[in-house]
Amino acid sequence: VGLSHTDSLRLLRRQTAVLELLASGAPLPAVLTSVAVALEELIDGARCSILLLDPVTATLHHGAAPTLHGSYAEAIDGMSIGPDAGSCGAAAYLGSPVVAEDITADPRWDRFRALALPHGLRSCWSSPIRGRTGTTGTFAVYHDRAHQPTQRECGLVGHFTHLASVAIDHAGLFGALAESEERFRHAFEDSAVGMALTDLNGRFFKVNRALREMLRQPEAELLVTTIDQVLAPAAGGGDPAELLRAVATAARDSAHFEAAGRRSDGTVLRVAVAASVVRGAAGSPVHLSLNLQDVTQRHAAERERRARREAQVARAGGEAATPATSGFPPDPTHRTRPPRQRHPRLPHAPGTT
């Protein structure tokens, strides 16, 4: 809007330079400074400032101010937003551009006038920077004289405000990613369960402390090892190599099984393994995530309980086969009376009764 062909070409060159900074991973202050300098080069006498909004505290903080005096930038750092908080505080509060054509007479500058005038700041025009989640900051243009922005200047500020928005959102996304990676790093390394990441061929490229201690191998050795050198089939379990191959080829998303884990000293553990596929942006598998837990003691305890139960069953069966007794010891003085014999009755003699 209101830009000549020459302005459009100059804008394009500066916009390209800013985007190249973003692509190179430059920190946000450097990118915002580049944005502010680019606009200052296109508007005569302009001094630019970019402030970042903290949505929690509703305060504005220094983002970039390449040509403003340092003491002024420091004085407004952390200012609360509000309808009478200068041009920037009001723009962030209202969500719309605020023009103070003359700072000496604008009531919104009553609390900040004494800060601005000693540094030769007479006018300030501020626009809210809108990002993905709402207002993320303000873009201010100062002059050393009373000034009302032209249509051309409005067009330029609109372009550079959008560019600042892209830079802030980009930094927010990468900041959230970095924070997420840091949380993952702590969760991974501090977990009591052995954890590892492998490529699709099963070669370790990240192992945590618990796994190193479980297998009694230093990290350097494990990182030149493949999972099939560590896991072998366990009694009653499947083939780890086949199960992991099925996950790596996306034939299945995950696998849970038990295997024999080989330690570097030759001892063997019983381990429970949970494997899942990690997919890339295109949705195809890129590596495997493994959790390994030592269940050797659990299996030993189960065998012991099973042996006790079998012994109890055997004793119960033996007792059932033994005749029942009174429970008293035999009396050595007791004699068993022989069974009484019945004699045949004799016939009566004559004359007797």
Side-chain angles (χ1 to χ4, degrees), residues 7 16 25 84 91 110 157 164 184-185 204 231 239 242 244 254 275 278 284 343 349:
D7 278 340
T16 300
D84 60 350
D110 287 348
V157 168
F184 169 78
R185 187 182 68 80
F204 292 109
L231 297 181
D239 183 354
E242 290 184 4
L244 293 175
S254 63
V278 179
S284 57
H343 297 280

Side-chain angles (χ1 to χ4, degrees), residues 76-140:
I76 64 172
D77 185 33
M79 65 182 290
S80 297
I81 66 173
D84 60 350
S87 299
C88 293
Y93 178 80
L94 298 171
S96 59
V98 172
V99 179
E101 183 177 353
D102 187 353
I103 288 175
T104 62
D106 195 303
R108 291 167 295 198
W109 277 84
D110 287 348
R111 291 187 291 123
F112 302 94
R113 188 174 295 117
L115 296 174
L117 295 180
H119 299 292
L121 305 176
R122 283 290 305 276
S123 68
C124 180
W125 164 35
S126 184
S127 301
I129 300 172
R130 296 184 179 88
R132 296 177 303 105
T133 58
T135 299
T136 56
T138 59
F139 198 132

